[in-house]
Amino acid sequence: MIYNFDEIMDRSNNFSAKYDEAKNKFGRDDIIPLWIADMDLKTAQPIIDAIIGRANQGMFGYVSRPERYFELVREWQLKRNNWDVDTTYMAHATGVMPMMCHFMREFLNEGDKVIVQPPVYSEFFTAVKDWGGELVYNPLKLVDGDYQMDFEDLEKKLKDGAKFLIVCNPHNPVGRVWSREELTKLGNLCLENNVMVISDEIHSDLILFNNKHIPMASINENFKKNTITCMSATKTFNLAGLQVSTTVFPNLEMKKIYEDVQGKLDSKRNNAFSVVANMAAYAHGEEWLEQLLTYLEGNVEYINNFCKEHIPQIKPNTPDCTYLMWLDCKDLGLEGDKLVDFFTNEARLGLNDGRSFGIGGEGYMRLNVACSRKLLEKAMNQLKEAVDKKNL
């Protein structure tokens, strides 16, 4: 089946957070929202068909999870990432961040240190602080335009004591796919210092430009026993509203503690639609995904070419992964709130403020390119007109 990603999607009656919450976030509702990380693109037809089929049954009682459910996750990981993960260690979660918050609640003691690598997804900070942990920052290094892990700094931080390290693999927002060598060095340092790794791999299917995702736990047996892997079809197939993800635990004891928490909170079941959607995605969604990745690569190239030709003051990255671009806006000469105000009130675009991602985010904006090319063209022309008008 050939998919048309050029179709302009009307989300006015979609109950979309990206659109409906834009006024609260940006102070106006006449912007093009390119912030929150979901897509203005229809998902794969087999997923739509599965949901419609389930809806047509007309009964939405408590949901069981068939054995085939986690087996499809295993088959997907084996085919896409050469990772033969044991389904025994898998657990359901309503999302990567709900899982992480449950996890922090149960396994983090007051004052325990958790290492993060900013600029990085801001909800990591919240999950740690809300449950009494102490954030320790191991900022990424920018070397000749390429983000790298600072292993010298990391080793010092690990030796100072930490309970967990959260690695964003692949990385949001800088778009790095970490190499096997980088992950191996990271994993060995964590083992040497008795620090467990939490690997957020929610973007791991959105790999661009012939890069290759390496699941942290797949590298060797020792890493498998020291890594909690968080993954989901929601980012891949635009299913975030169905609230479903999968966690792979390093041991059954930890899995049991987590599932006991789910039982106490009565959140252990899928909803009626997430079961069939998740299964259809992993069983029949690959054709759609391959076409999507090609389209996203075209959107990334469009943004890069447009900025190079028309707005050289803005320097986008070319992400190895994700549909999120990290824009270096420092040459606009606008700092702090002035940069955000320019994008919002002059260009009328809703992007994520780079500062929200922590250290290293000042002067950057995050742009979501998972939408039709025509919408991006409109957004970039608005940005060019604003830059020209301000003579920046």
Side-chain angles (χ1 to χ4, degrees):
M1 178 177 179
I2 303 300
Y3 289 94
N4 177 22
F5 296 113
D6 283 324
E7 182 182 1
I8 302 292
M9 306 308 301
D10 179 8
R11 300 191 72 175
S12 58
N13 294 307
N14 188 233
F15 304 105
S16 162
K18 182 190 289 184
Y19 285 79
D20 295 353
E21 296 175 13
K23 187 170 184 178
N24 287 337
K25 182 173 179 64
F26 299 102
R28 57 193 304 166
D29 56 9
D30 62 342
I31 61 169
I32 299 176
L34 301 168
W35 58 294
I36 197 168
D38 67 14
M39 306 187 216
D40 289 349
L41 303 169
K42 276 187 180 180
T43 192
Q45 193 60 45
I47 300 173
I48 298 171
D49 292 342
I51 292 172
I52 291 172
R54 183 69 180 86
N56 284 338
Q57 293 176 1
M59 297 171 288
F60 311 106
Y62 294 112
V63 176
S64 67
R65 191 178 305 119
E67 187 174 330
R68 183 74 177 137
Y69 180 90
F70 284 134
E71 184 61 26
L72 284 166
V73 179
R74 186 194 74 82
E75 291 174 6
W76 180 268
Q77 286 295 324
L78 184 60
K79 182 177 184 181
R80 302 289 296 187
N81 300 316
N82 197 33
W83 182 25
D84 192 3
V85 55
D86 188 342
T87 60
T88 306
Y89 296 90
M90 293 182 185
H92 162 73
T94 56
V96 167
M97 290 315 303
M99 175 271 158
M100 204 173 288
C101 290
H102 287 340
F103 185 87
M104 294 297 172
R105 173 184 171 179
E106 293 305 307
F107 294 99
L108 202 63
N109 297 315
E110 188 76 26
D112 281 346
K113 295 178 180 179
V114 180
I115 299 174
V116 294
Q117 298 177 304
V120 73
Y121 184 49
S122 60
E123 294 301 318
F124 293 171
F125 311 149
T126 306
V128 173
K129 291 188 291 186
D130 281 355
W131 297 106
E134 178 186 340
L135 282 166
V136 176
Y137 300 103
N138 169 227
L140 301 178
K141 297 190 300 182
L142 188 56
V143 181
D144 297 327
D146 182 40
Y147 280 94
Q148 300 176 8
M149 295 188 193
D150 187 340
F151 289 109
E152 183 177 349
D153 177 72
L154 176 60
E155 190 164 10
K156 293 176 184 175
K157 302 288 173 60
L158 288 167
K159 289 185 183 303
D160 283 343
K163 193 164 189 177
F164 302 110
L165 177 144
I166 304 174
V167 61
C168 202
N169 176 38
H171 195 282
N172 166 25
V174 308
R176 269 299 312 275
V177 167
W178 302 117
S179 68
R180 182 178 296 273
E181 290 73 23
E182 288 169 312
L183 292 173
T184 299
K185 190 166 186 177
L186 178 78
N188 283 332
L189 285 171
C190 287
L191 282 173
E192 290 168 11
N193 291 279
N194 196 32
V195 174
M196 181 166 280
V197 175
I198 302 172
S199 186
D200 176 3
E201 304 190 8
I202 195 170
H203 292 278
S204 62
D205 294 321
L206 298 166
I207 304 300
L208 307 176
F209 303 112
N210 296 313
N211 286 288
K212 177 64 178 173
H213 170 64
I214 308 295
M216 184 77 189
S218 73
I219 294 175
N220 60 48
E221 189 68 19
N222 288 331
F223 287 7
K224 184 179 81 171
K225 294 177 180 178
N226 196 52
T227 303
I228 300 137
T229 304
C230 307
M231 53 193 179
S232 178
T234 58
K235 203 67 68 181
T236 311
F237 294 99
N238 204 25
L239 305 175
L242 292 181
Q243 298 181 311
V244 59
S245 69
T246 300
T247 304
V248 182
F249 285 96
N251 57 67
L252 296 180
E253 293 77 16
M254 193 169 275
K255 176 186 171 181
K256 183 181 184 305
I257 292 171
Y258 169 74
E259 290 188 326
D260 285 348
V261 174
Q262 284 190 309
K264 292 172 184 175
L265 295 172
D266 199 19
S267 62
K268 64 182 180 180
R269 298 183 187 276
N270 290 70
N271 67 56
F273 296 106
S274 71
V275 166
V276 296
N278 212 52
M279 293 177 71
Y282 287 130
H284 306 295
E286 191 169 42
E287 179 184 47
W288 177 90
L289 176 59
E290 291 302 324
Q291 293 178 45
L292 171 75
L293 295 177
T294 299
Y295 193 81
L296 293 178
E297 289 172 352
N299 280 356
V300 168
E301 289 169 348
Y302 167 75
I303 296 294
N304 274 324
N305 291 334
F306 188 97
C307 287
K308 185 176 181 179
E309 182 176 353
H310 299 291
I311 323 174
Q313 304 94 315
I314 296 177
K315 298 174 179 61
N317 70 333
T318 298
D320 301 334
C321 61
T322 82
Y323 47 71
L324 305 167
M325 295 187 72
W326 190 233
L327 309 183
D328 181 346
C329 304
K330 292 190 286 293
D331 286 350
L332 290 175
L334 301 172
E335 296 183 355
D337 292 342
K338 291 181 180 179
L339 179 62
V340 178
D341 180 74
F342 169 76
F343 271 86
T344 303
N345 296 312
E346 302 292 336
R348 288 175 289 115
L349 302 177
L351 275 63
N352 292 96
D353 180 358
R355 294 175 298 177
S356 68
F357 300 95
I359 299 167
E362 176 73 52
Y364 289 85
M365 300 292 285
R366 193 188 76 171
L367 169 69
N368 181 343
V369 301
C371 60
S372 71
R373 188 74 46 79
K374 288 182 180 178
L375 188 64
L376 277 186
E377 289 171 356
K378 186 174 188 298
M380 294 309 291
N381 278 297
Q382 286 181 196
L383 181 55
K384 177 184 181 301
E385 289 169 10
V387 171
D388 291 345
K389 184 177 179 181
K390 297 276 287 187
N391 195 28
L392 297 174

